[in-house]
Amino acid sequence: MLGAVLHRLNPVRRLGVCRQLATLMALCAMLGAATAATQTLERALAIASDAPSFPSEHSAVELTLPDDWQTSRPGSSGSVWYRIRLNLPAGPLDEPAAVLVRRACGALEAHLNGQPISSQDGRRERIARQCYEPQLLVLAPALPSAEGNVLDLHVIGEPRQHVASSLRAGGLSVPIIGPQSEVAALYRQQLLVRSTIPHALAVALGIVGILAFIVWAGHRRQHFWPYFGGLCLAWTVLLVGWWWPYLPLSAAAAEWLITTAAAVATLCGVQFLLRYTLWRHRGVDAALWAQCLLVPASLALAGASHTFAVASAWYALLALEFAAALAWFLWLTWRFSRREFALASVVAGVAAVLIGLQIALQQLGPEGPVDPWWALGPPLLLLFAAGLLLYRLGAALETSDGMQGILEARAREAAAEMERSFAQMAEMRVEQVTQQERKRIAADLHDDLGAKLLTIVHTSENDRISSLAREALEEMRLSVRGLTGKPVQLADALGDWRAEVMARLAQAGIEGEWKAPVDEVTQALPARAYVQTTRILREAVSNVIKHSGASYCKIRCRLLEKDFQLVIQDNGQGISMEFDGKLDRGHGMASMKHRAKQMHGQCLVESGPGYGTVIRLTLPL
């Protein structure tokens, strides 16, 4: 069939397909050679003995590796000898063979053809903590022959009842034999996952835990940071206890430490989830702290023979507590922050799966369906959570810096507003004091000086003195009116001005004409403006009477859009240039312009010989 397909192709494409097929066959041959170079040793004779070498005189049991003691010899501890008959695999003549033992829980001795090739004497008190580290046994070229070799493996371990996890129960995995280069590559892969990576994760988690406490020292209001740091440090202890085979502790002490660290990790994990959502309950806090004391106490009271049962019960309870905390955390996140719920649910789901796999590993052991590599999941998730928390902390600090700048700007604005308000209050206070002083002076003038002037007016026999006293009395009353500060209705002011001006012009024999708005006038003049306008009007009429030589004077009052205008016009001889300077001295034209300027108004004078004089006073209302 393949020949028929190739026959239908053109020669060029047929050559290309043939080359590809040749390459594929060469790769398959290489893979077959590599697979054939290594062999698994699945059959062995086993006998429980503490003899220094394999006890050939005793009857051994033939079994299939891997051997899990909790299945093949439940409850037994001590040492077991395994005898494996093997032939050396084909390989380079100058390269020795090697054997990889992925798991031998705990101490391991190896003999090839009766000669020791590896020894770990003196480690009987550190049995359970060597279960994770693989062993590489190099077979010296002088020892083995091509066929009929005998490999004896001596394993010293503990039963499952004496350990807190099935992963640390006694047993032996399937050895792999092959050329040293290929077996060493497999050994490095196993060592990377079972020793190097866990040690690196332990160091990283320790650093993150210390960093979390440092962050908490600078942000005391974020109460979840110390619990997250405690969780990282507790998991560091777990990693060290699981994968570090050289701690100076007995097997019982190591199991006690690992289980207690799991309780502390649960306390910190639950409190971290609750404090992150700003939720706290004193009963939960007290129960978690009491649990951290009950776990080691219960292990100590139960004894070594019940370690697995007590630890398994505690592990199940701790897993349920953490699952409940995760569910409560998701509920609170859903209620208060829908935006974070998606990420929180993903992280919580991964955490729940990893905790479930941890429980499965503890119960099923290394030969179960769950790969022990999953034990690296929780520390990796913790590092991811640490990165996420630090990222959000940086974002919060950046936002805080921006808000601080805004607050500083607003504080400056508030300070400036307070300064303005204080200045206004000071001005108002000064105005109030000034007004009070003006009223006091006005009262004094009215009560004292006014009474005396009025007495002179009525008692003086000299007409000139009486007239001057009457003028002084009128001026004093005008000043008192300005000092009191009461506004004057413009209609009333116009009436007063008309009566006074027309009377003065009539006394001087000058014909007067007054024109004012006929409509109802509702505007009011401040007291100060009324006084100044009255004085300007008096000064203008006095100039008409004394200096103009006029026989006619016309006064017009007009209300503009925002101004009040007063025009005084006579038909006199006008202001001569030689008298201009004289009139500007004293209380003349300059005084009128000055008073108008004080009221933010304008006083214009138009005059010329034979033209008469026109005075235009414009004041803002």
Side-chain angles (χ1 to χ4, degrees):
M1 181 176 181
L2 179 61
V5 173
L6 293 176
H7 180 72
R8 294 178 181 178
L9 298 176
N10 58 61
V12 176
R13 184 169 295 180
R14 186 187 309 162
L15 180 60
V17 171
C18 292
R19 289 179 178 178
Q20 293 177 2
L21 290 175
T23 303
L24 181 61
M25 294 175 63
L27 289 175
C28 293
M30 292 175 62
L31 292 175
T35 303
T38 59
Q39 302 175 8
T40 57
L41 307 176
E42 298 179 354
R43 305 295 299 174
L45 297 175
I47 183 171
S49 175
D50 199 19
S53 59
F54 186 86
S56 303
E57 66 277 6
H58 295 85
S59 60
V61 178
E62 186 176 2
L63 51 80
T64 302
L65 298 177
D67 182 23
D68 191 356
W69 289 9
Q70 60 183 336
T71 302
S72 61
R73 47 182 62 79
S76 64
S77 61
S79 61
V80 175
W81 280 95
Y82 296 90
R83 170 159 288 184
I84 303 173
R85 300 186 181 277
L86 55 88
N87 298 323
L88 292 182
L93 298 177
D94 57 346
E95 182 179 4
V99 176
L100 172 64
V101 181
R102 187 173 59 88
R103 175 181 178 272
C105 199
L108 175 67
E109 294 182 22
H111 298 258
L112 182 63
N113 298 332
Q115 300 295 322
I117 58 175
S118 176
S119 177
Q120 298 185 12
D121 293 336
R123 297 183 183 176
R124 290 175 180 262
E125 294 300 322
R126 285 171 283 174
I127 294 173
R129 293 187 307 283
Q130 295 188 40
C131 299
Y132 303 97
E133 189 171 348
Q135 302 289 334
L136 179 64
L137 309 176
V138 180
L139 309 181
L143 292 178
S145 56
E147 297 180 357
N149 297 290
V150 176
L151 178 65
D152 296 330
L153 300 177
H154 186 201
V155 179
I156 305 173
E158 291 286 339
R160 187 172 70 168
Q161 291 82 351
H162 291 184
V163 293
S165 171
S166 296
L167 293 174
R168 294 186 293 279
L172 178 65
S173 64
V174 178
I176 299 176
I177 187 173
Q180 182 181 356
S181 59
E182 297 188 16
V183 176
L186 297 176
Y187 169 76
R188 287 190 294 270
Q189 294 176 3
Q190 294 287 323
L191 189 66
L192 176 66
V193 177
R194 294 176 173 270
S195 180
T196 305
I197 293 180
H199 294 166
L201 290 177
V203 174
L205 285 180
I207 295 174
V208 169
I210 296 173
L211 181 60
F213 281 99
I214 295 175
V215 172
W216 176 63
H219 301 80
R220 288 299 182 92
R221 293 185 179 181
Q222 296 181 347
H223 301 290
F224 61 86
W225 279 110
Y227 291 105
F228 185 77
L231 176 61
C232 292
L233 294 179
W235 209 271
T236 300
V237 174
L238 288 174
L239 289 175
V240 171
W242 287 343
W243 275 285
W244 192 268
Y246 308 117
L247 290 178
L249 296 174
S250 64
E255 298 300 323
W256 181 88
L257 176 64
I258 293 173
T259 309
T260 304
V264 175
T266 303
L267 178 145
C268 295
V270 171
Q271 292 287 50
F272 164 70
L273 293 174
L274 299 182
R275 298 299 175 86
Y276 188 80
T277 54
L278 303 179
W279 191 87
R280 181 181 180 183
H281 192 279
R282 293 185 177 180
V284 174
D285 296 347
L288 290 173
W289 285 107
Q291 180 176 263
C292 291
L293 298 177
L294 290 176
V295 169
S298 62
L299 288 174
L301 293 175
S305 59
H306 298 88
T307 298
F308 182 79
V310 175
S312 297
W314 276 117
Y315 284 151
L317 179 60
L318 296 178
L320 289 176
E321 292 175 0
F322 191 76
L326 280 176
W328 186 249
F329 169 75
L330 290 177
W331 166 247
L332 293 177
T333 305
W334 171 260
R335 288 186 58 188
F336 299 110
S337 181
R338 300 289 179 89
R339 185 177 58 182
E340 296 185 1
F341 178 76
L343 179 60
S345 59
V346 172
V347 175
V350 173
V353 171
L354 292 177
I355 294 300
L357 290 174
Q358 290 291 318
I359 298 298
L361 282 171
Q362 302 291 336
Q363 298 296 321
L364 299 177
E367 307 303 335
V370 181
D371 200 315
W373 292 10
W374 280 102
L376 302 178
L380 291 175
L381 183 62
L382 281 178
L383 292 178
F384 172 77
L388 188 61
L389 289 175
L390 291 176
Y391 170 76
R392 293 193 172 181
L393 176 63
L397 290 177
E398 184 177 355
T399 304
S400 176
D401 292 339
M403 292 298 296
Q404 184 176 0
I406 295 175
L407 290 177
E408 290 178 355
R410 291 184 177 178
R412 289 192 295 268
E413 293 177 358
E417 183 65 25
M418 291 177 63
E419 291 178 358
R420 288 192 296 268
S421 300
F422 181 77
Q424 292 176 358
M425 291 175 62
E427 292 178 358
M428 292 175 60
R429 179 60 179 167
V430 171
E431 184 64 25
Q432 291 176 357
V433 173
T434 303
Q435 188 68 18
Q436 292 175 359
E437 189 65 18
R438 287 176 178 174
K439 290 181 179 180
R440 185 189 65 80
I441 295 173
D444 292 344
L445 289 173
H446 183 272
D447 296 340
D448 297 336
L449 184 58
K452 293 177 181 179
L453 291 174
L454 186 61
T455 301
I456 295 173
V457 170
H458 291 291
T459 59
S460 177
E461 297 179 355
N462 191 321
D463 294 338
R464 179 170 176 76
I465 293 176
S466 178
S467 177
L468 291 175
R470 185 177 289 106
E471 292 178 1
L473 182 60
E474 291 296 329
E475 188 65 29
M476 183 272 298
R477 288 176 178 173
L478 184 62
S479 298
V480 169
R481 197 166 192 177
L483 289 173
T484 56
K486 295 181 179 179
V488 179
Q489 292 296 321
L490 184 56
D492 297 337
L494 291 174
D496 294 341
W497 293 337
R498 181 180 185 281
E500 180 181 348
V501 169
M502 297 305 290
R504 291 183 65 188
L505 291 175
Q507 290 177 358
I510 301 175
E511 182 184 356
E513 182 183 357
W514 180 275
K515 288 188 177 182
V518 295
D519 297 333
E520 183 179 357
V521 179
T522 59
Q523 289 85 346
L525 285 177
R528 194 68 178 164
Y530 170 75
V531 172
Q532 297 289 18
T533 305
T534 302
R535 287 175 175 167
I536 292 173
L537 184 59
R538 285 179 180 176
E539 183 66 27
V541 173
S542 297
N543 289 336
V544 171
I545 294 173
K546 294 179 181 180
H547 306 290
S548 67
S551 60
Y552 175 79
C553 182
K554 181 180 180 181
I555 298 94
R556 290 176 297 173
C557 302
R558 291 191 300 177
L559 288 175
L560 304 178
E561 184 177 357
K562 295 182 179 180
D563 299 326
F564 169 69
Q565 190 177 66
L566 184 63
V567 180
I568 303 103
Q569 183 178 3
D570 64 65
N571 62 349
Q573 59 187 357
I575 302 175
S576 179
M577 295 298 295
E578 58 179 328
F579 294 106
D580 191 10
K582 182 179 180 180
L583 291 175
D584 280 345
R585 292 196 298 267
H587 300 284
M589 298 297 179
S591 176
M592 296 167 59
K593 293 180 179 180
H594 179 68
R595 293 180 188 276
K597 187 176 182 181
Q598 286 182 341
M599 294 183 291
H600 305 286
Q602 188 179 36
C603 183
L604 300 177
V605 179
E606 301 174 5
S607 180
Y611 173 76
T613 303
V614 179
I615 300 175
R616 300 180 189 275
L617 175 64
T618 305
L619 300 177
L621 290 176

